[in-house]
Amino acid sequence: MLSWWRETAGLVLPVACGGCGSPRTELCQECAAALEAEPRRARPAPEPAGFPVVHAVAPYENAVRAMLLAHKERGALGLAGALGGALAAAVRAGAGHAGDGGPLLLVPVPSARRATARRGHDPVRRIAAAATAELRRGGTRARVLTVLRQRRAVADQAGLGARDRQANLAGALMVADGARTLLDGGRVVLVDDLLTTGSTLAEAARAVRAAAHVGGSTAEGLRAAVVAASPSAFELNRN
């Protein structure tokens, strides 16, 4: 019955692959394989002060770029599962299994309110939820902590260089006051969909470290994970 419904829906509302545009499938096998690569370290140059250790699954180009944009900007919410699976692999590569350190706490970088309203959803939060579900299916204790907040408005990052992005984001994020103690409940992993200059993750790391210090934790060894990184930041020869 479900198969019949999908075939009928495909005739009424044609579906195209979010990566390559192939008809009648939301994600073809070839594009899905691009999200199943071995995660690697990603590091922008120049590297912002306080930048955490980041792992990414793929360079931000071709099908991966198209999939992230389709999910974020065009409402292809069905891609969240595949993107979340890729993010989960990046989380594992950087943090491993929680073990005695408690569950992995996936802290999504927040989207600006204007962007969330325009898109109708928070893409990073949605991918983080899918990644958490994938981690749990693999036996890793994990949860999403949506504790980061924007304390002030920031300009649109599009078109800004690395230095301008750092200035734009400096001091822009904070951990909600009532959420500080939650950071001591496991190992924090900052998560985002994309790494470019590293300014956003560096600011998120600063905010988490500041809050964790107040809460009694040093937040040492803070890690981050993304689905994709700019080709220049995606280091093919390092683990």
Side-chain angles (χ1 to χ4, degrees), residues 6-35:
R6 284 175 174 165
E7 289 295 321
T8 304
L11 293 174
V12 178
L13 298 172
V15 175
C17 173
C20 65
S22 296
R24 300 178 65 79
T25 178
E26 194 163 35
L27 183 62
C28 72
Q29 292 183 351
E30 184 175 349
C31 290
L35 294 172

Side-chain angles (χ1 to χ4, degrees), residues 4-93:
W4 173 87
W5 183 90
R6 284 175 174 165
E7 289 295 321
T8 304
L11 293 174
V12 178
L13 298 172
V15 175
C17 173
C20 65
S22 296
R24 300 178 65 79
T25 178
E26 194 163 35
L27 183 62
C28 72
Q29 292 183 351
E30 184 175 349
C31 290
L35 294 172
E36 297 171 357
E38 188 71 21
R40 299 181 185 274
R41 282 285 302 277
R43 181 181 294 131
E47 185 174 326
F51 186 71
V53 174
V54 179
H55 281 77
V57 168
Y60 184 62
E61 58 187 6
N62 303 326
V64 172
R65 179 179 183 275
M67 284 184 278
L68 284 170
L69 287 174
H71 176 261
K72 178 184 286 187
E73 303 294 351
R74 296 194 293 277
L77 304 185
L79 295 174
L83 296 172
L87 182 62
V91 169
R92 289 193 195 98

Side-chain angles (χ1 to χ4, degrees), residues 190-208:
L190 298 168
V191 294
D192 205 347
D193 56 350
L194 173 64
L195 165 67
T196 52
T197 66
S199 302
T200 302
L201 284 175
E203 170 58 19
R206 181 208 59 76
V208 166

Side-chain angles (χ1 to χ4, degrees), residues 44-169:
E47 185 174 326
F51 186 71
V53 174
V54 179
H55 281 77
V57 168
Y60 184 62
E61 58 187 6
N62 303 326
V64 172
R65 179 179 183 275
M67 284 184 278
L68 284 170
L69 287 174
H71 176 261
K72 178 184 286 187
E73 303 294 351
R74 296 194 293 277
L77 304 185
L79 295 174
L83 296 172
L87 182 62
V91 169
R92 289 193 195 98
H97 291 274
D100 295 334
L104 296 178
L105 307 177
L106 276 61
V107 176
V109 173
S111 299
R113 292 179 181 177
R114 292 191 304 271
T116 300
R118 174 174 56 81
R119 293 166 179 153
H121 74 120
D122 186 327
V124 177
R125 184 172 180 175
R126 186 179 294 275
I127 295 173
T132 298
E134 176 65 21
L135 289 166
R136 288 174 175 172
R137 282 192 290 270
T140 299
R141 290 182 296 157
R143 59 181 296 201
V144 177
L145 286 185
T146 55
V147 298
L148 283 175
R149 303 286 186 271
Q150 287 193 335
R151 67 167 71 188
R152 62 170 176 80
V154 297
D156 188 345
Q157 297 275 79
L160 297 181
R163 183 169 298 180
D164 288 337
R165 288 193 177 203
Q166 290 176 36
N168 185 42
L169 291 169

